[in-house]
Amino acid sequence: MKIFLDTADLSEIRRAADAGLIDGVTTNPSLMAKSAGDADPKDHFLEICNTVDGPVSAEVVALEKDQMVSEGKRLAALHSNIVVKLPLTEDGLRACRALTAEGVKTNVTLCFSASQALLAAKAGATYVSPFVGRLDDISHHGMEVIGQIRQVYDNYGLETEILAASIRHPIHMVESMLQGADCGTLPPKVLYQLIQHPLTDKGLAAFMADWKKLGKEL
Ligand code: E4P
């Protein structure tokens, strides 16, 4: 399963990429607004691409198909790692189809149902991003949607990758893996929570204490 970091914060991306923990990055307009500062957003996307060796999702902000396609082409021209992120609207699906026909990689976002995911795949999306946490927020089972999309894609041989998004805690990540998501995107806090286990800390402390008794160096 591919792990993407869900942030536009360059220091977080650098840390995770240096540690070899991530396969790519996803951003959205809210994350960019938080981290891009005064920089031209295109320069910020480029810097992310130069920091991580993998797909970098950059979202269009136009709402109309032709404008989405123009923005998407400008984003895709920045770097070969750019994946153009498009909202799951009729215009977004039309733009996805047009950009796919030109060889641009796409990520159809704000997906909340298997029926929406079917349409994203039929539009040629490289990735579809079902938002697990935001479904949980409104008392729906976000994880069930991941399983349904997996089954639909497998039933019909659809190759769009399922990118579990809006992941809020490690259990979301584990369940996404079990439901067969191809990728998960998670905020930095959750990425480092994946490493943590109290028994690892306890075991390491005991090993260190025992080694100290030996009084030797390696
Ligand atoms: C990623 O593509 C999404 O934009 C992101 O995961 C949304 O997460 P949130 O629901 O925690 O904002």
Side-chain angles (χ1 to χ4, degrees):
M1 188 189 199
K2 290 173 210 157
I3 298 178
F4 296 147
L5 199 62
D6 199 22
T7 186
D9 182 328
L10 284 166
S11 61
E12 292 288 3
I13 294 167
R14 209 165 286 125
R15 176 184 171 192
D18 283 352
L21 294 173
I22 54 170
D23 301 293
V25 164
T26 57
T27 65
N28 62 36
S30 305
L31 294 171
M32 284 293 285
K34 217 159 88 181
S35 298
D38 293 334
D40 179 329
K42 292 196 284 310
D43 291 340
H44 197 81
F45 285 132
L46 193 55
E47 201 155 349
I48 296 175
C49 289
N50 289 330
T51 305
V52 64
D53 186 18
V56 172
S57 288
E59 189 158 343
V60 300
V61 288
L63 298 175
E64 186 275 327
K65 180 244 175 182
D66 288 336
Q67 289 170 16
M68 285 177 173
V69 171
S70 303
E71 282 184 4
K73 282 185 190 170
R74 281 200 292 279
L75 290 170
L78 292 175
H79 196 283
S80 58
N81 284 350
I82 289 282
V83 175
V84 175
K85 214 170 171 191
L86 301 152
L88 210 157
T89 59
E90 181 178 342
D91 281 277
L93 292 171
R94 286 172 186 264
C96 178
R97 189 175 294 279
L99 288 166
T100 300
E102 300 214 22
V104 174
K105 290 187 228 77
T106 54
N107 174 358
V108 175
T109 188
L110 290 168
C111 173
F112 295 95
S113 71
S115 52
Q116 287 183 315
L118 170 66
L119 297 177
K122 287 175 74 75
T126 315
Y127 303 95
V128 68
S129 291
F131 278 31
V132 175
R134 291 193 196 186
L135 278 167
D136 289 357
D137 288 344
I138 57 157
S139 303
H140 284 248
H141 289 294
M143 206 48 66
E144 279 180 7
V145 173
I146 301 283
Q148 288 173 357
I149 299 171
R150 178 74 283 151
Q151 195 172 335
V152 170
Y153 282 9
D154 289 350
N155 284 351
Y156 297 102
L158 299 167
E159 287 176 3
T160 299
E161 292 192 37
I162 303 168
L163 198 175
S166 189
I167 285 183
R168 305 276 173 76
H169 48 69
I171 294 295
H172 272 157
M173 192 64 182
V174 172
E175 288 181 349
S176 296
M177 292 189 268
L178 294 173
Q179 294 295 332
D182 299 287
C183 339
T185 189
L186 60 180
K189 178 180 163 223
V190 180
L191 177 67
Y192 297 105
Q193 283 177 330
L194 296 186
I195 298 176
Q196 298 301 322
H197 198 290
L199 291 181
T200 304
D201 297 342
K202 191 177 169 200
L204 187 59
F207 287 158
M208 293 304 102
D210 289 341
W211 183 261
K212 210 169 164 189
K213 287 180 211 154
L214 194 62
K216 301 258 170 71
E217 281 184 14
L218 279 182

